[in-house]
Amino acid sequence: MRHFAITLAAAIGLAGGVQAQTWDMPTPYGDTTFHTINIRDFAKDVSSATDGKLEIAVHSAGSLFPHSEIKNAVRSGQVPIGEFFLSTLANEDLAFGVDSQPFLATSYDQAAKLWAAQKPVITELLAKQGLMPLFSVPWPAQGLYTNGEIKTVDDLAGLRFRAYNPALEEFAMMAKAAPVQVEASDIAQAFTTGQVQAMITSPSTGANSKAWDFVDTYTKIDAWLPKNIVVVNKRAFDRLSAEEQSAVMAAAAKAETRGWEMSKKEAADKIAVMQENGMHIVDPSPELEAGLQTIGDEMLVKWKEKASPDAMSVLQAYQAN
């Protein structure tokens, strides 16, 4: 049964009589995912800095709210804080999905520059909904999972292709594949039942879903580095004491720095895990790279045609650096 609203622990501290408060925090990914590990450390840092006056109870793997409902649950005040995949909001404004544009930012340095351009715009857009971003952490660069090596874009034609956001749906269609919406937690079942035959996702998701059980090849196309974001309900944040607000913001800054480093380590570690379990790890052929870049360039042209002034300001600020 879901827990609604902010959970207040009515326990009164023995020394000082201060009321302790507990925030329920839904997250979409499992406990072994580095994002969740980082968030649990964030929660510990908040508790430590506030001497237990503010506790954050992390509800992982969509156990409190499904991924698709987390943002609105925070916005409506059903919970004060939550994590979700940022580009799932691209249908609201393309500024939210710039980091999922194929082959726009393909390294951690480029992803950091893109986030620097994106963050102030995202902050303003979320503020209109009563939300405030706390920190954002990228997934490792996305790779291609298939049975057999894909030598050219034409080899993707007709494959049922896992999609998790609008940009990837568009990418699949431009590659003449058939996009199918599948959450990370359902990947193994989707492949096993034939619902999907190929996907682009991070080494983290690939290893966590034991991709070697249903595909044999990982191609390091480094398509993009999409981010998760942690947001807080602004009214809930404003109700905190100044000391607690400072503790949350300091823990958030620490979590962002730590999370980016965890992501970098995760990329190498999880590719090694897949290789140890028998997957072929290959670099893309020049023909595949050229074909993918062509799709990326075409998608960016179409993106610009649909982009809001806010979204365009992100792209222009990124390209100016």
Side-chain angles (χ1 to χ4, degrees):
M1 184 176 181
R2 294 177 183 168
H3 302 287
F4 293 106
I6 300 170
T7 302
L8 294 176
I12 304 298
L14 293 177
V18 178
Q19 189 179 57
Q21 183 177 179
T22 298
W23 279 4
D24 285 318
M25 180 176 183
T27 73
Y29 302 99
D31 288 323
T32 60
T33 303
F34 78 95
H35 285 282
T36 309
I37 294 170
N38 187 40
I39 283 171
R40 290 195 182 280
D41 286 342
F42 161 73
K44 290 175 185 175
D45 288 341
V46 170
S47 175
S48 176
T50 62
D51 293 326
K53 295 173 188 174
L54 177 61
E55 300 283 352
I56 297 176
V58 179
H59 302 268
S60 59
S63 58
L64 190 59
F65 288 95
H67 190 174
S68 61
E69 296 179 17
I70 291 175
K71 179 255 189 177
N72 284 334
V74 180
R75 182 182 181 184
S76 65
Q78 295 176 77
V79 289
I81 188 172
E83 178 205 31
F84 53 86
F85 191 66
L86 181 58
S87 61
T88 57
L89 304 188
N91 285 331
E92 296 182 15
D93 193 296
L94 290 179
F96 290 112
V98 184
D99 60 7
S100 289
Q101 279 303 115
F103 307 102
L104 178 63
T106 61
S107 68
Y108 282 100
D109 285 345
Q110 291 175 349
K113 290 178 182 177
L114 182 56
W115 178 229
Q118 195 179 20
K119 185 176 181 179
V121 175
I122 294 299
T123 299
E124 286 189 15
L125 289 172
L126 290 176
K128 294 175 183 177
Q129 302 184 44
L131 300 171
M132 186 175 77
L134 290 181
F135 61 93
S136 183
V137 174
W139 292 90
Q142 308 289 281
L144 177 63
Y145 296 75
T146 55
N147 277 306
E149 186 176 350
I150 299 296
K151 297 291 184 67
T152 71
V153 168
D154 290 341
D155 294 339
L156 296 172
L159 294 180
R160 291 184 291 278
F161 206 94
R162 182 220 172 196
Y164 53 68
N165 63 22
L168 194 45
E169 285 185 18
E170 183 181 358
F171 177 89
M173 288 187 288
M174 292 185 70
K176 299 180 180 178
V180 181
Q181 283 284 345
V182 175
E183 283 287 344
S185 57
D186 299 323
I187 286 174
Q189 181 179 0
F191 272 94
T192 301
T193 60
Q195 185 182 5
V196 294
Q197 299 167 295
M199 66 179 175
I200 291 177
T201 196
S202 70
S204 306
T205 301
N208 290 344
S209 62
K210 298 184 178 179
W212 50 85
D213 286 339
F214 43 83
V215 292
D216 58 27
T217 303
Y218 174 81
T219 306
K220 297 190 290 182
I221 60 173
D222 291 349
W224 56 87
L225 289 82
K227 297 184 293 292
N228 286 4
I229 192 167
V230 171
V231 302
V232 65
N233 181 290
K234 187 63 164 57
R235 285 175 298 177
F237 182 81
D238 288 344
R239 284 195 290 266
L240 297 176
S241 68
E243 175 193 9
E244 291 164 343
Q245 289 180 359
S246 295
V248 169
M249 297 307 295
K254 184 177 177 182
E256 184 159 292
T257 299
R258 180 178 59 231
W260 281 69
E261 291 305 313
M262 291 174 75
S263 181
K264 293 174 185 178
K265 184 175 186 299
E266 178 85 356
D269 290 351
K270 291 306 169 79
I271 287 174
V273 167
M274 292 191 293
Q275 189 167 26
E276 289 165 5
N277 280 277
M279 288 189 69
H280 303 293
I281 311 297
V282 300
D283 292 320
S285 68
E287 294 79 10
L288 179 59
E289 277 192 321
L292 292 173
Q293 188 63 59
T294 296
I295 291 178
D297 291 343
E298 292 173 357
M299 286 182 66
L300 190 58
V301 170
K302 293 182 178 181
W303 185 92
K304 289 178 180 178
E305 293 172 354
K306 298 179 291 184
S308 67
D310 285 324
M312 281 303 299
S313 72
V314 174
L315 181 63
Q316 290 163 357
Y318 169 65
Q319 292 180 330
N321 291 329

